[in-house]
Amino acid sequence: MVGLTRKKSKYYVQLRNKYPDLPIYTLRLPGARLYIINSATLIPAVQRHFKELAFPPLEVKFASNICGSSKAANEILTRNVNGEEGDWGYSMTFYKAIHTPLAPGPGLDAMNRIMAERVVASIDGMKDRKRAKLFNFVKHEITLATTESVYGPQNPFRDRAVEESFWKFQPGIMILLMNLFPSVLAKESLEARELLVAAFNQYLKNDGPSQGSALMKARYDHSMEHKIPMDDIARFEVGNTIGILTNTAPAAFWMAYHLYSDAAVLRDCRDELAHVVSDQETTTPHGQPVTVRTIDLARVKTSCPLLLSTLQEVLRVHSVGISTRLVMQDHVLAGQYLLKKGNTVMIPGPVQHTNAGTWGPDVHRFDHRRFLPKTKRHNAVAFRGFGGGTTLCPGRHFASTEILAFTALMILRFDVAPVDGAQWTCPTTAKAEMWEVTPMPDEDIDVEIRSRAGGEEEGEKRVKWRVVVTDSDKAMPLAAEDE
Ligand code: HEM
């Protein structure tokens, strides 16, 4: 317990290093057993038996603790929670309801277009920003771009107080999750949550979902169909913002960090992006020549394997996520290992991501080419950045497109370096909690941002940047299930 409290998911890496021959082992805690998966060969067996080794019962408990939902809503959530009586009920049908708007196709393209507009606006705004805190900057811009595209014109996050409340709510989530005297130990977090709930209640009153994305409409319709009370729909939306923001913002930050802190990575990715940028010469109404430089996000997704590989490597190196399952009935895993009912199975991402047997002897090195189709030779199931099986992240295409768009525009237009000529130092992530997947940095980095030649102006000529998203139903290969 001391090891887990101090080191969190990294403790499982330490135990794997101590007992490398164990494919799976039991950690006995007072009143509970944790079955920890070490070997990637056991992961498909866990994922296949999703009824016996289930996630929905845990998810529902987490959701009600975190969102503070009413008894009535919790009762609806827990009805047929694991589909024992067939494919019905809130929990069983939720994933299906949100799958279509998040899968490559028109709904996702529409969200990406709004996101891209907002990203261009934010990158345009960087011109005046000579100094910034890198994580703060990325977090703010990703928060706005993501929420704008999901919630539409009534986006509650346009109010700075709502945005700040979300990031104040975040540090207390672990206490809420475990229900450890939250009113004492997570007071600030609870206050911030209630402000978010009030903002979402107002959003619902203003008929916000009808002007929002296909994803928002699907979530709202799903709750209405299941007769979730209005205040609880607002509360569940707070839970949904955890899903859409807490990973995307840090992942975009780590991506920016690795791109800018390694000259070879930066050069390679800029060279690759040069092929998906096209110029059109035109003039302003005042007769001034302008180059309109266009980048098509659909082409970034399909023709920039190096940038995509860099993102996957970022998630491999930094992810601290753990896939968790509840044992619903005694189960013999892979015909060999008895898992007793009522206990928990865990697949810690860092254990897979640091396995030299899977990734090779350079496992601890950041290699932006590791996921290139030509060089890739790892077992795909060992990449846990987006989880896997029935709980595979449905938002992976949306989040990845956003991160690629944001960082592509940033590196094409700006140079970023630590202030006063300091060296890049990789921040630690010791403060990340057990529920997190992509951790925030413990410390921010003070940086200077400078326009690149060709980024804004070329001699006398102005350059105007544009991002387009042509229709795209192609999926990026982000997880084993996409291949
Ligand atoms: C870089 C950004 C993101 C990362 C790294 C990420 C990662 C993950 C991971 C690892 C899981 C699986 C957890 C498990 O196996 O237990 C997951 C689940 C999930 N993610 Fe994401 N995610 C990201 C962005 C998003 C976005 C933008 C959305 C929504 C638009 C989203 C929606 C979800 C949902 C709804 C689930 C739960 C699926 C279920 O319960 O079956 N995620 N995510």
Side-chain angles (χ1 to χ4, degrees):
M1 284 178 82
V2 172
L4 279 175
T5 311
R6 282 206 192 133
K7 304 210 168 135
K8 297 154 191 159
S9 63
K10 289 185 182 130
Y11 186 60
Y12 300 119
V13 175
Q14 193 179 316
L15 287 181
R16 188 273 320 275
N17 292 344
K18 199 164 169 190
Y19 306 104
D21 298 331
L22 296 180
I24 181 170
Y25 58 89
T26 307
L27 277 187
R28 283 172 189 240
L29 301 180
R33 290 171 195 202
L34 304 181
Y35 300 116
I36 316 296
I37 305 283
N38 265 351
S39 167
T41 57
L42 290 177
I43 294 176
V46 174
Q47 293 183 166
R48 233 182 357 257
H49 294 278
F50 53 87
K51 288 275 188 220
E52 298 90 338
L53 310 174
F55 185 60
L58 292 172
E59 191 173 33
V60 163
K61 195 165 170 37
F62 295 162
S64 54
N65 284 357
I66 291 175
C67 304
S69 43
S70 70
K71 243 183 164 171
N74 294 345
E75 203 270 316
I76 297 171
L77 252 63
T78 44
R79 257 181 239 157
N80 192 33
V81 63
N82 200 34
E84 309 302 2
E85 297 167 29
D87 215 3
W88 59 271
Y90 184 96
S91 160
M92 274 298 102
T93 49
F94 179 71
Y95 191 86
K96 251 191 215 146
I98 62 167
H99 185 263
T100 308
L102 282 170
L108 186 60
D109 286 342
M111 280 211 299
N112 281 335
R113 280 189 194 105
I114 300 175
M115 173 275 289
E117 263 171 38
R118 175 63 229 181
V119 164
V120 171
S122 81
I123 300 278
D124 279 345
M126 278 173 71
K127 264 187 279 209
D128 314 319
R129 203 189 294 245
K130 296 293 177 232
R131 284 191 171 204
K133 293 209 177 284
L134 187 59
F135 180 58
N136 242 348
F137 165 71
V138 173
K139 187 174 79 175
H140 172 63
E141 300 304 342
I142 292 286
T143 302
L144 281 188
T146 311
T147 54
E148 200 64 21
S149 52
V150 172
Y151 296 115
Q154 305 264 1
N155 176 17
F157 282 75
R158 285 185 186 180
D159 177 351
R160 191 78 193 213
V162 172
E163 181 190 344
E164 281 168 8
S165 292
F166 178 79
W167 294 105
K168 269 189 207 152
F169 163 58
Q170 213 256 5
I173 288 177
M174 193 67 204
I175 303 280
L176 293 174
L177 231 163
M178 313 217 2
N179 209 5
L180 273 179
F181 310 108
S183 55
V184 182
L185 298 177
K187 196 165 173 278
E188 206 183 348
S189 186
L190 274 181
E191 283 167 9
R193 180 185 78 189
E194 293 312 306
L195 195 143
L196 291 166
V197 172
F200 277 118
N201 265 314
Q202 194 58 46
Y203 174 74
L204 297 173
K205 238 185 230 152
N206 294 350
D207 200 19
S210 68
Q211 301 158 47
S213 61
L215 171 67
M216 184 60 229
K217 289 188 191 109
R219 287 204 296 232
Y220 179 71
D221 291 348
H222 184 255
S223 285
M224 292 300 281
E225 269 166 38
H226 290 272
K227 303 200 168 32
I228 301 283
M230 208 46 91
D231 181 67
D232 291 294
I233 300 183
R235 288 180 181 277
F236 292 158
E237 229 16 82
V238 175
N240 285 325
T241 51
I242 299 176
I244 64 175
L245 293 176
T246 53
N247 287 310
T248 315
F253 162 80
W254 292 114
M255 183 79 177
Y257 170 81
H258 284 284
L259 285 166
Y260 281 115
S261 63
D262 186 325
V265 180
L266 186 62
R267 187 196 53 231
D268 289 351
C269 289
R270 277 179 174 164
D271 287 352
E272 186 181 65
L273 281 166
H275 298 291
V276 295
V277 172
S278 60
D279 283 357
Q280 194 192 359
E281 304 303 331
T282 178
T283 47
T284 65
H286 307 292
Q288 202 193 3
V290 181
T291 303
V292 177
R293 191 153 286 166
T294 305
I295 178 164
D296 182 351
L297 269 191
R299 287 197 62 208
V300 173
K301 288 197 306 186
T302 52
S303 311
C304 294
L306 201 52
L307 197 65
L308 182 56
S309 172
T310 307
L311 172 60
Q312 288 170 300
E313 181 70 342
V314 159
L315 297 179
R316 182 189 74 85
V317 168
H318 292 285
S319 175
V320 292
I322 302 172
S323 297
T324 308
R325 304 286 186 266
L326 185 65
V327 184
M328 304 300 288
Q329 58 194 59
D330 285 3
H331 178 77
V332 181
L333 185 68
Q336 291 185 68
Y337 308 103
L338 174 64
L339 310 177
K340 301 283 280 178
K341 180 180 172 176
N343 295 302
T344 310
V345 180
M346 295 187 147
I347 308 173
V351 166
Q352 296 306 320
H353 293 171
T354 56
N355 187 331
T358 304
W359 304 95
D362 66 345
V363 64
H364 297 298
R365 193 168 69 86
F366 184 94
D367 176 4
H368 64 305
R369 297 179 174 276
R370 194 182 297 276
F371 286 83
L372 281 178
K374 274 184 275 178
T375 34
K376 197 155 61 174
R377 56 196 155 76
H378 62 269
N379 175 357
V381 91
F383 175 63
R384 308 298 301 167
F386 291 107
T390 47
T391 57
L392 173 67
C393 175
R396 64 196 182 284
H397 297 290
F398 174 52
S400 302
T401 309
E402 179 171 9
I403 295 165
L404 295 185
F406 185 78
T407 49
L409 275 176
M410 231 176 130
I411 63 170
L412 283 170
R413 296 176 58 179
F414 297 97
D415 283 319
V416 173
V419 292
D420 303 328
Q423 294 295 307
W424 284 101
T425 309
C426 190
T428 54
T429 55
K431 291 183 197 157
E433 292 289 358
M434 285 284 223
W435 64 270
E436 292 183 43
V437 176
T438 317
M440 301 205 278
D442 291 339
E443 306 290 338
D444 211 335
I445 307 176
D446 289 307
V447 293
E448 261 164 20
I449 299 169
R450 262 173 292 114
S451 285
R452 292 176 73 209
E456 299 303 306
E457 286 178 18
E458 282 171 357
E460 291 299 297
K461 207 165 45 171
R462 280 187 48 221
V463 178
K464 184 154 177 37
W465 282 84
R466 205 166 70 98
V467 178
V468 295
V469 184
T470 51
D471 293 344
S472 134
D473 54 5
K474 283 215 171 63
M476 286 181 275
L478 296 167
E481 287 81 347
D482 297 323
E483 293 189 349

